[in-house]
Amino acid sequence: MKFSEYFLPTLKETPSDAKLASHKLMLQAGMIRKVTAGVYDYLPMGFKVLKKVEEVVREEMNRAGCQEVKLPIIQPADLWRESRRWDDYGDEMFKLSDRKDQEFALGPTHEEIITDMVRNELSSYKDLPLTLYQINDKYRDEIRPRHGVMRSREFLMKDAYSFHGSQESLEETYRDLYDAYARVFDRLGLDWYAVDAPSGLMGGSYSQEFIAVADEGGEEIAVCDECGYAANVDIAAYKPSEDEAQVELKELEEVETPGKETVAAVADYLDVPGQKIVKTFIYSTDDGYLAALVGGNDELEETKLSSHLGRSDLEMVSTESEIEQVTGANFGSIGPIGLDIPIYADADIKAMKNFIVGANRNGYHLKNVNWERDLEDAKFTDLRRVQEGDRCPRCGDELDFYRGIEVGQIFQLGEKYSRALDAHYQDEDGQLKPYLMGCYGIGISRVIPAIIQQNYDEDGVKWTEAVQPFDVGIIVLDDEGSDVFEYGSYLYDELSDRGYDPLFDDRDESPGVKFNDADLIGLPVMIIIGPRGMKNGELEVEFRAGGKETVKIDGVPRGEVADRIGDLLNR
Ligand SMILES: [Zn+2]
């Protein structure tokens, strides 16, 4: 490609409305332009990189035995009503209606469509298993679209769906696709982790996320380097503390704590560590109230509570009138003792003795509380968020915490969608059974900002080899008609003929502008040809990753110079 003919509008100034480096650089390097909030144009170079990511994903999906299809973006509301997700999906779904007032959604995901497609076709166990995938746009009306194409409302995704007649078959495909994902992210050059994940709106029994490590990423993960345990912090487990052995149980005592309504205030007033003040949260459910308890310095993780109870109807009581009706006290003085409701306590505080809780009497707390004497019905489970210093639930080694960008997620969905949509097959005994399903996504458009977040410097992008938009740049420091220009033009043709993808900067611009643009857009190698070099009989080869080479051209046949440069590109 010749730069002078290429639609690559780089910007000299850093865009001020972008916060993340990847967002800034994609705008500045002329890859994307904003149309409206969360909706972007891809310009030729941005689209070229997107296609490269897509191709790596497609190759590995095909290699894993998946078959590519294309499903519609416009999806009828009736199908979503059948799966009961029309309302569950909520405001994130773009809804529209046609001229006959029929309702539709712009597909945020495709479980309904694909299950509808196969339910009439896969009628026998002999047709199973089957895995289909597509690479297509998805639409989600994010409340706060941000960071460019990292969190946008229209985005490109690879989504695959598998259908099975047994759990073993589902698990086998799940493992195969895990391996395919590992190859995809390795080939793309990402530094990534696969972590246990909550399955959220998709439902199902088991899920893992693929997280590209990046300090600015929206996900937080806990990882054990010793045994390989890795999980999203929303569900990450920890090894609970050992019992405080040989501590004498003291007598329960009500103490006045006037106006002390926070853990810090009560701890300060009673001169005890904050963790000793066990916090109580009251939740309402369709079957009544319950209490959840965590240590004073801990954070209750609602995802853990709802998954432990297997219910999605939890709502934290948050009004003064309701809390008073349940406990008889205001928020600052509530506690578990004397409440006739189920009590769930975090496993880590099971070892605590002589701790403090609210007295359910305004301005009072109870001291020297002990589980077996005062709260014998409390049930213990993992309820709090993991934190720095926590130990691995499997091996006890200290957990490490990282931030990152979610680039993929895989789910074992089980029968959720096939049951809802009456999608059955006939087993060997002629019995009708719902398929078991899996689903597997990769955020193709999010991979690009993830790669950039891991590979950039103050001058611009440093692409990984799999997605670099060009193999090499040819920078000529003289005008058209000069020897310099003519030599560059020759190398451009020769390298193109040899199968490389060069960008020839033939523009009538200063050397500074050309060098800045080359670094900005991330040309991995620059061949620099200038008048002084020509006079000395050499040209310079500069690597974006660092390092330089001088290539002698004086007295060397041009074809050999092109070969020599080819060797440098392949090294
Ligand atoms: Zn471990």
Side-chain angles (χ1 to χ4, degrees), residues 223-229 391-399:
V223 173
C224 173
D225 286 334
E226 185 63 28
C227 73
Y229 174 78
R391 306 208 153 263
C392 170
R394 287 196 199 143
C395 76
D397 214 58
E398 193 161 325
L399 290 171

Side-chain angles (χ1 to χ4, degrees), residues 263 273-277 279 294-299 387:
V263 166
Q275 185 67 1
K276 276 272 181 191
I277 322 285
K279 291 188 283 195
V294 296
N297 295 336
D298 297 335
E299 200 181 326
Q387 56 207 20

Side-chain angles (χ1 to χ4, degrees), residues 458-471:
E458 66 279 6
D459 298 324
V461 184
K462 298 165 103 171
W463 293 109
T464 59
E465 199 180 342
V467 301
Q468 64 195 22
F470 295 98
D471 297 328

Side-chain angles (χ1 to χ4, degrees), residues 305-479:
L305 180 62
S306 69
S307 89
H308 174 72
L309 298 172
R311 49 195 322 154
S312 53
D313 60 350
L314 291 176
E315 244 176 277
M316 193 189 284
V317 172
S318 58
T319 64
E320 285 287 356
S321 58
E322 195 177 3
I323 204 75
E324 204 168 316
Q325 180 207 320
V326 182
T327 67
N330 62 25
F331 279 107
S333 301
I334 64 172
I337 294 179
L339 297 182
D340 191 19
I341 60 177
I343 290 166
Y344 299 92
D346 178 57
D348 204 27
I349 55 174
K350 187 178 183 191
M352 277 171 60
K353 302 213 178 353
N354 300 324
F355 53 92
I356 295 162
V357 299
N360 292 327
R361 179 180 172 202
N362 287 346
Y364 286 87
H365 277 74
L366 293 171
K367 264 173 77 171
N368 304 329
V369 178
N370 286 286
W371 298 110
E372 48 281 13
R373 183 187 66 202
D374 308 315
L375 287 161
E376 56 178 3
D377 291 334
K379 293 182 183 68
F380 295 92
T381 184
D382 177 358
L383 287 183
R384 71 162 169 85
R385 201 174 167 82
V386 287
Q387 56 207 20
E388 293 283 345
D390 273 346
R391 306 208 153 263
C392 170
R394 287 196 199 143
C395 76
D397 214 58
E398 193 161 325
L399 290 171
D400 289 319
F401 292 81
Y402 302 104
R403 296 202 73 87
I405 299 159
E406 185 200 327
V407 287
Q409 189 165 8
I410 55 180
F411 300 83
Q412 291 183 18
L413 295 172
E415 299 173 346
K416 179 180 158 106
Y417 294 93
S418 46
R419 272 192 190 281
L421 294 164
D422 272 327
H424 295 96
Y425 70 97
Q426 220 168 25
D427 73 5
E428 283 161 297
D429 305 321
Q431 300 272 68
L432 278 186
K433 285 193 172 157
Y435 315 120
L436 291 170
M437 288 174 60
C439 87
Y440 318 85
I442 291 181
I444 304 242
S445 38
R446 193 181 273 181
V447 162
I448 301 176
I451 289 174
I452 296 175
Q453 288 299 142
Q454 290 186 358
N455 303 280
Y456 72 94
D457 61 16
E458 66 279 6
D459 298 324
V461 184
K462 298 165 103 171
W463 293 109
T464 59
E465 199 180 342
V467 301
Q468 64 195 22
F470 295 98
D471 297 328
V472 55
I474 299 164
I475 316 279
V476 287
L477 306 179
D478 206 348
D479 298 339

